[in-house]
Amino acid sequence: MKTQKYCLALDLKEDPRLIAEYKGYHEEVWPEIIKSIKDSGISLLDIYCFGNRMFMIIEANEDFSFEKKATMDANNPKVQEWEELMWKFQQALPGAKSGEKWVLMEKIFELK
């Protein structure tokens, strides 16, 4: 099965206390969130942080789509609760659409 790879970016609010709290939540992500990620077709999801800038790398199966994931998330009250909680720590990147959190990055190079 072919995998798809995506990289997304997001900023945290520039507050060391909030950044530390956000990282703490990601040491023990709620099991319902892990299940929703896997159920959407994502097989790998890594988040990296530098200061308040974050990058997320996703590998997903060929059936995965952000639209399908958004629909699943919208119908999952626990995911909605998690997203609302996380927004306390997050801020949109400059140029993001209204209400947009993680922004899909354009791949410009691949070492082969």
Side-chain angles (χ1 to χ4, degrees), residues 42-104:
I42 295 173
S43 56
L44 178 142
L45 190 153
D46 294 332
I47 299 176
Y48 293 83
C49 185
F50 178 77
N52 73 322
R53 177 71 38 100
M54 296 193 307
F55 295 101
M56 178 191 300
I57 300 171
I58 292 174
E59 288 185 10
N61 66 33
E62 60 192 7
D63 297 327
F64 172 83
S65 76
F66 287 102
E67 295 79 15
K68 184 174 92 174
K69 173 104 175 73
T71 300
M72 291 173 65
D73 290 350
N75 292 302
N76 185 326
K78 203 66 175 175
V79 170
Q80 292 305 305
E81 182 183 348
W82 175 266
E83 290 300 328
E84 186 176 326
L85 176 62
M86 292 302 105
W87 195 239
K88 167 185 170 185
F89 308 100
Q90 300 167 335
Q91 62 183 1
L93 286 171
K97 296 174 187 148
S98 178
E100 188 174 39
K101 288 184 169 193
W102 289 96
V103 177
L104 190 60

Coordinates of all heavy atoms in Angstrom, one line a residue, residues 42-104:
I42 N -3.9 7.4 9.4 CA -2.5 7.9 9.7 C -1.8 6.8 10.5 O -2.2 6.3 11.5 CB -2.6 9.2 10.6 CG1 -3.2 10.3 9.8 CG2 -1.2 9.6 11.1 CD1 -3.5 11.6 10.6
S43 N -0.6 6.5 9.9 CA 0.2 5.4 10.6 C 1.4 6.0 11.4 O 2.0 5.4 12.2 CB 0.8 4.5 9.5 OG 1.5 5.2 8.5
L44 N 1.8 7.3 11.1 CA 2.9 7.9 11.8 C 2.5 9.4 11.9 O 2.1 10.0 10.9 CB 4.2 7.8 11.0 CG 5.4 8.4 11.6 CD1 6.7 7.6 11.4 CD2 5.7 9.8 11.0
L45 N 2.7 9.9 13.1 CA 2.5 11.4 13.3 C 3.5 11.8 14.3 O 3.5 11.4 15.5 CB 1.1 11.6 13.8 CG 0.6 13.1 13.9 CD1 -0.9 13.2 13.7 CD2 1.1 13.8 15.1
D46 N 4.4 12.7 13.9 CA 5.5 13.2 14.8 C 5.3 14.7 14.8 O 5.0 15.4 13.8 CB 6.9 13.0 14.2 CG 7.2 11.5 14.2 OD1 6.7 10.7 15.0 OD2 8.1 11.1 13.3
I47 N 5.5 15.3 16.0 CA 5.4 16.7 16.2 C 6.8 17.2 16.7 O 7.3 16.6 17.7 CB 4.3 17.2 17.1 CG1 2.9 16.8 16.6 CG2 4.4 18.7 17.3 CD1 1.8 17.1 17.5
Y48 N 7.4 18.2 16.1 CA 8.7 18.7 16.5 C 8.4 20.2 16.9 O 7.5 20.9 16.4 CB 9.7 18.7 15.4 CG 10.1 17.3 15.0 CD1 9.3 16.6 14.1 CD2 11.3 16.8 15.5 CE1 9.7 15.3 13.7 CE2 11.7 15.5 15.1 CZ 10.9 14.8 14.2 OH 11.3 13.5 13.8
C49 N 9.2 20.7 17.9 CA 9.0 22.0 18.4 C 10.4 22.7 18.5 O 11.4 22.1 18.9 CB 8.4 22.0 19.8 SG 8.0 23.6 20.5
F50 N 10.4 24.0 18.0 CA 11.6 24.8 18.2 C 11.0 26.2 18.7 O 10.3 26.9 17.9 CB 12.3 25.0 16.9 CG 13.5 25.9 17.0 CD1 14.7 25.5 17.6 CD2 13.4 27.3 16.6 CE1 15.8 26.4 17.8 CE2 14.5 28.1 16.8 CZ 15.7 27.7 17.3
G51 N 11.3 26.5 19.9 CA 10.7 27.7 20.5 C 9.2 27.6 20.5 O 8.7 26.6 21.1
N52 N 8.5 28.5 19.8 CA 7.1 28.3 19.8 C 6.6 27.8 18.4 O 5.4 27.7 18.2 CB 6.4 29.6 20.1 CG 6.5 30.7 19.0 OD1 7.5 30.8 18.3 ND2 5.4 31.4 18.8
R53 N 7.5 27.5 17.5 CA 7.2 27.0 16.2 C 7.1 25.4 16.2 O 8.0 24.8 16.7 CB 8.2 27.4 15.2 CG 8.1 27.0 13.7 CD 6.9 27.6 12.9 NE 6.6 29.0 13.1 CZ 6.9 30.0 12.3 NH1 7.7 29.8 11.3 NH2 6.5 31.2 12.6
M54 N 6.0 24.9 15.6 CA 5.9 23.4 15.6 C 5.8 22.9 14.2 O 5.2 23.6 13.3 CB 4.7 23.0 16.4 CG 4.8 23.4 17.9 SD 3.6 22.6 18.9 CE 2.1 23.0 18.0
F55 N 6.3 21.7 13.9 CA 6.1 21.0 12.7 C 5.5 19.7 13.0 O 6.0 19.0 13.9 CB 7.5 20.9 12.0 CG 8.0 22.2 11.5 CD1 9.0 22.8 12.3 CD2 7.5 22.9 10.4 CE1 9.5 24.1 11.9 CE2 8.0 24.1 10.0 CZ 9.0 24.7 10.8
M56 N 4.6 19.3 12.2 CA 4.0 17.9 12.3 C 4.3 17.2 11.0 O 4.0 17.7 9.9 CB 2.5 18.1 12.5 CG 1.7 16.7 12.5 SD -0.1 16.9 12.5 CE -0.4 17.9 13.9
I57 N 4.8 16.0 11.1 CA 5.0 15.1 10.0 C 4.0 13.9 10.1 O 3.9 13.3 11.1 CB 6.5 14.6 9.9 CG1 7.4 15.8 9.8 CG2 6.7 13.6 8.8 CD1 8.9 15.5 10.0
I58 N 3.3 13.7 9.0 CA 2.3 12.7 9.0 C 2.6 11.7 7.8 O 3.0 12.1 6.7 CB 0.9 13.2 8.7 CG1 0.4 14.1 9.9 CG2 -0.1 12.2 8.3 CD1 -0.9 14.8 9.6
E59 N 2.5 10.4 8.1 CA 2.5 9.4 7.0 C 1.2 8.7 7.2 O 0.8 8.3 8.3 CB 3.7 8.4 7.2 CG 5.0 9.0 6.9 CD 6.2 8.0 6.9 OE1 5.9 6.8 7.0 OE2 7.3 8.5 6.8
A60 N 0.5 8.6 6.0 CA -0.8 8.0 6.0 C -1.0 7.1 4.8 O -0.3 7.1 3.8 CB -1.9 9.1 6.0
N61 N -2.0 6.2 4.9 CA -2.3 5.3 3.8 C -2.9 6.0 2.7 O -3.3 7.2 2.8 CB -3.2 4.1 4.3 CG -4.6 4.5 4.7 OD1 -5.2 5.4 4.2 ND2 -5.1 3.8 5.7
E62 N -3.1 5.4 1.6 CA -3.6 6.0 0.3 C -5.0 6.5 0.4 O -5.5 7.3 -0.4 CB -3.3 5.1 -0.9 CG -4.0 3.8 -0.8 CD -3.6 2.8 -1.9 OE1 -2.6 3.1 -2.6 OE2 -4.2 1.7 -1.9
D63 N -5.8 5.9 1.4 CA -7.2 6.3 1.5 C -7.3 7.6 2.4 O -8.4 8.1 2.5 CB -8.0 5.2 2.2 CG -8.0 3.9 1.3 OD1 -8.0 4.1 0.1 OD2 -8.0 2.8 1.8
F64 N -6.3 8.0 3.0 CA -6.4 9.2 3.9 C -6.6 10.5 3.1 O -6.1 10.7 2.0 CB -5.0 9.4 4.7 CG -5.0 10.6 5.5 CD1 -5.6 10.7 6.7 CD2 -4.4 11.8 5.0 CE1 -5.5 11.9 7.4 CE2 -4.3 13.0 5.7 CZ -4.9 13.0 6.9
S65 N -7.4 11.3 3.7 CA -7.6 12.7 3.2 C -7.9 13.6 4.4 O -8.5 13.2 5.4 CB -8.7 12.8 2.1 OG -10.0 12.8 2.7
F66 N -7.5 14.9 4.2 CA -7.7 15.8 5.3 C -9.2 16.1 5.4 O -9.7 16.4 6.5 CB -6.9 17.1 5.1 CG -5.5 17.0 5.4 CD1 -4.6 16.8 4.3 CD2 -5.0 16.9 6.7 CE1 -3.2 16.6 4.6 CE2 -3.7 16.8 7.0 CZ -2.8 16.6 5.9
E67 N -9.9 16.0 4.3 CA -11.4 16.3 4.3 C -12.1 15.2 5.1 O -13.0 15.4 5.9 CB -11.9 16.3 2.9 CG -11.4 17.5 2.0 CD -10.0 17.3 1.5 OE1 -9.5 16.2 1.5 OE2 -9.4 18.3 1.1
K68 N -11.7 13.9 4.8 CA -12.3 12.8 5.6 C -12.0 12.9 7.1 O -12.8 12.7 7.9 CB -11.7 11.5 5.0 CG -12.4 10.2 5.6 CD -11.9 8.9 4.9 CE -10.7 8.4 5.6 NZ -10.2 7.1 5.1
K69 N -10.7 13.2 7.4 CA -10.3 13.4 8.8 C -11.1 14.5 9.4 O -11.6 14.4 10.6 CB -8.8 13.7 8.9 CG -8.3 14.0 10.3 CD -7.6 12.9 10.9 CE -7.0 13.2 12.3 NZ -7.9 13.3 13.4
A70 N -11.3 15.6 8.8 CA -12.1 16.8 9.3 C -13.5 16.3 9.6 O -14.1 16.7 10.7 CB -12.0 17.9 8.4
T71 N -14.1 15.6 8.7 CA -15.5 15.1 8.9 C -15.6 14.2 10.1 O -16.4 14.3 11.0 CB -16.0 14.4 7.7 OG1 -16.0 15.3 6.6 CG2 -17.4 13.8 7.9
M72 N -14.6 13.2 10.2 CA -14.5 12.3 11.4 C -14.4 13.1 12.7 O -15.1 12.9 13.7 CB -13.4 11.3 11.2 CG -13.6 10.3 10.1 SD -12.1 9.3 9.9 CE -12.0 8.4 11.4
D73 N -13.5 14.1 12.7 CA -13.2 14.9 13.9 C -14.4 15.7 14.3 O -14.7 15.8 15.5 CB -12.0 15.8 13.6 CG -10.7 15.1 13.5 OD1 -10.7 13.9 13.8 OD2 -9.7 15.7 13.2
A74 N -15.1 16.3 13.3 CA -16.3 17.1 13.6 C -17.4 16.3 14.3 O -18.2 16.8 15.0 CB -16.9 17.7 12.3
N75 N -17.4 15.0 14.0 CA -18.4 14.1 14.6 C -17.9 13.3 15.8 O -18.6 12.4 16.3 CB -18.9 13.1 13.5 CG -19.7 13.8 12.4 OD1 -20.7 14.5 12.7 ND2 -19.2 13.7 11.2
N76 N -16.8 13.7 16.4 CA -16.2 13.1 17.5 C -16.1 14.1 18.7 O -15.2 15.0 18.7 CB -14.9 12.5 17.2 CG -14.2 11.7 18.3 OD1 -14.4 12.0 19.5 ND2 -13.5 10.7 17.9
P77 N -17.0 14.0 19.7 CA -17.0 15.0 20.7 C -15.7 15.1 21.5 O -15.3 16.2 22.0 CB -18.2 14.6 21.7 CG -19.0 13.7 20.8 CD -18.1 13.1 19.8
K78 N -15.0 14.0 21.7 CA -13.8 13.9 22.4 C -12.7 14.7 21.6 O -11.9 15.4 22.2 CB -13.3 12.5 22.7 CG -12.4 12.4 23.9 CD -13.1 12.8 25.2 CE -12.2 12.6 26.4 NZ -12.7 13.1 27.6
V79 N -12.6 14.5 20.3 CA -11.7 15.2 19.5 C -12.0 16.7 19.6 O -11.1 17.5 19.7 CB -11.7 14.7 18.0 CG1 -10.9 15.6 17.1 CG2 -11.2 13.3 18.0
Q80 N -13.3 17.1 19.5 CA -13.6 18.5 19.6 C -13.2 19.1 21.0 O -12.7 20.2 21.0 CB -15.1 18.7 19.4 CG -15.6 18.4 18.0 CD -14.8 19.2 16.9 OE1 -14.8 20.4 17.0 NE2 -14.2 18.5 16.0
E81 N -13.4 18.3 22.0 CA -12.9 18.8 23.3 C -11.4 19.0 23.4 O -10.9 20.0 23.9 CB -13.3 17.7 24.4 CG -12.9 18.1 25.8 CD -13.3 17.0 26.8 OE1 -14.0 16.1 26.5 OE2 -12.8 17.1 28.0
W82 N -10.6 18.0 22.8 CA -9.2 18.1 22.7 C -8.8 19.4 21.9 O -7.9 20.2 22.3 CB -8.6 16.9 22.1 CG -7.1 16.9 21.9 CD1 -6.5 17.3 20.7 CD2 -6.1 16.6 22.8 NE1 -5.1 17.2 20.9 CE2 -4.9 16.7 22.1 CE3 -6.1 16.2 24.1 CZ2 -3.6 16.5 22.7 CZ3 -4.9 15.9 24.7 CH2 -3.6 16.1 24.1
E83 N -9.4 19.6 20.8 CA -9.0 20.7 19.9 C -9.3 22.0 20.6 O -8.5 23.0 20.4 CB -9.8 20.6 18.5 CG -9.3 19.5 17.6 CD -7.8 19.6 17.3 OE1 -7.3 20.7 17.1 OE2 -7.2 18.5 17.1
E84 N -10.4 22.1 21.3 CA -10.8 23.3 22.0 C -9.7 23.6 23.1 O -9.3 24.7 23.2 CB -12.2 23.2 22.6 CG -12.6 24.5 23.2 CD -14.0 24.4 23.7 OE1 -14.9 23.8 23.1 OE2 -14.3 25.1 24.8
L85 N -9.3 22.6 23.8 CA -8.3 22.7 24.8 C -7.0 23.1 24.2 O -6.3 24.0 24.7 CB -8.1 21.4 25.6 CG -7.0 21.3 26.6 CD1 -7.3 22.3 27.7 CD2 -6.9 19.9 27.2
M86 N -6.6 22.5 23.1 CA -5.3 22.8 22.5 C -5.2 24.3 21.9 O -4.2 24.9 21.9 CB -5.0 21.8 21.3 CG -4.7 20.4 21.8 SD -3.3 20.3 23.0 CE -4.2 20.0 24.5
W87 N -6.4 24.8 21.5 CA -6.4 26.2 21.0 C -6.0 27.2 22.0 O -5.5 28.3 21.7 CB -7.8 26.5 20.4 CG -7.8 27.7 19.5 CD1 -8.5 28.8 19.6 CD2 -7.0 27.9 18.3 NE1 -8.3 29.7 18.6 CE2 -7.3 29.2 17.8 CE3 -6.0 27.1 17.6 CZ2 -6.8 29.7 16.6 CZ3 -5.5 27.7 16.5 CH2 -5.8 28.9 16.0
K88 N -6.1 26.8 23.3 CA -5.6 27.7 24.4 C -4.1 28.0 24.2 O -3.7 29.1 24.6 CB -5.9 27.0 25.7 CG -5.3 27.6 26.9 CD -5.5 26.8 28.2 CE -4.6 27.3 29.3 NZ -4.8 26.4 30.5
F89 N -3.4 27.1 23.7 CA -2.0 27.2 23.6 C -1.5 27.6 22.2 O -0.4 28.0 22.0 CB -1.3 25.8 23.8 CG -1.8 25.2 25.1 CD1 -2.7 24.2 25.1 CD2 -1.2 25.6 26.3 CE1 -3.2 23.6 26.3 CE2 -1.7 25.0 27.5 CZ -2.6 24.1 27.5
Q90 N -2.3 27.5 21.2 CA -1.9 27.6 19.8 C -2.4 29.0 19.2 O -3.3 29.6 19.8 CB -2.6 26.5 18.9 CG -2.2 25.1 19.4 CD -3.1 24.1 18.7 OE1 -4.2 24.3 18.4 NE2 -2.5 22.9 18.6
Q91 N -1.6 29.4 18.2 CA -2.0 30.6 17.5 C -1.8 30.4 16.0 O -0.9 29.6 15.6 CB -1.3 31.9 18.0 CG 0.2 31.8 17.8 CD 0.9 33.0 18.3 OE1 0.3 33.9 18.9 NE2 2.2 33.1 18.2
A92 N -2.6 30.9 15.2 CA -2.5 30.7 13.7 C -1.2 31.3 13.2 O -0.8 32.4 13.7 CB -3.7 31.3 13.1
L93 N -0.7 30.7 12.2 CA 0.4 31.3 11.5 C 0.0 32.5 10.7 O -1.1 32.5 10.2 CB 1.0 30.2 10.5 CG 1.8 29.1 11.2 CD1 2.2 28.0 10.1 CD2 3.1 29.6 11.8
P94 N 0.9 33.4 10.4 CA 0.6 34.5 9.5 C 0.2 33.9 8.2 O 0.9 33.0 7.7 CB 1.9 35.3 9.4 CG 2.6 35.0 10.7 CD 2.2 33.5 11.0
G95 N -0.9 34.4 7.6 CA -1.3 33.9 6.3 C -2.3 32.7 6.4 O -2.8 32.3 5.4
A96 N -2.5 32.2 7.6 CA -3.5 31.1 7.7 C -4.9 31.6 7.5 O -5.2 32.8 7.8 CB -3.4 30.5 9.1
K97 N -5.8 30.8 7.0 CA -7.2 31.2 6.9 C -7.8 31.3 8.2 O -7.4 30.7 9.2 CB -7.9 30.1 6.0 CG -7.4 30.0 4.6 CD -8.0 28.9 3.9 CE -7.4 28.7 2.5 NZ -7.4 27.3 2.1
S98 N -8.9 32.0 8.3 CA -9.7 32.2 9.6 C -10.0 30.8 10.1 O -10.6 29.9 9.5 CB -10.9 33.0 9.3 OG -11.6 33.1 10.5
G99 N -9.7 30.6 11.4 CA -10.0 29.3 12.1 C -9.0 28.2 11.8 O -9.1 27.1 12.3
E100 N -8.1 28.4 10.9 CA -7.1 27.4 10.5 C -6.0 27.2 11.5 O -5.4 28.2 11.9 CB -6.5 27.7 9.1 CG -5.7 26.6 8.5 CD -5.3 26.9 7.1 OE1 -4.9 28.1 6.8 OE2 -5.3 26.0 6.2
K101 N -5.8 26.0 11.9 CA -4.7 25.8 12.9 C -3.4 25.3 12.1 O -2.7 26.1 11.7 CB -5.1 24.7 13.9 CG -6.2 25.1 14.9 CD -6.4 24.0 15.8 CE -7.3 24.5 17.0 NZ -7.3 23.5 18.1
W102 N -3.3 24.0 12.0 CA -2.1 23.5 11.3 C -2.2 23.8 9.8 O -3.3 23.6 9.2 CB -2.1 22.0 11.5 CG -1.7 21.5 12.9 CD1 -2.6 21.2 13.9 CD2 -0.4 21.4 13.4 NE1 -1.9 20.9 15.0 CE2 -0.5 21.0 14.8 CE3 0.9 21.6 12.9 CZ2 0.6 20.8 15.6 CZ3 2.0 21.4 13.7 CH2 1.8 21.0 15.0
V103 N -1.1 24.3 9.3 CA -1.1 24.7 7.9 C -0.2 23.8 7.1 O 0.9 23.5 7.5 CB -0.6 26.2 7.7 CG1 -0.5 26.6 6.3 CG2 -1.5 27.1 8.5
L104 N -0.7 23.2 6.0 CA 0.0 22.3 5.2 C 1.1 23.0 4.5 O 1.0 24.1 3.9 CB -0.9 21.7 4.1 CG -0.4 20.5 3.3 CD1 0.0 19.4 4.2 CD2 -1.4 20.1 2.3

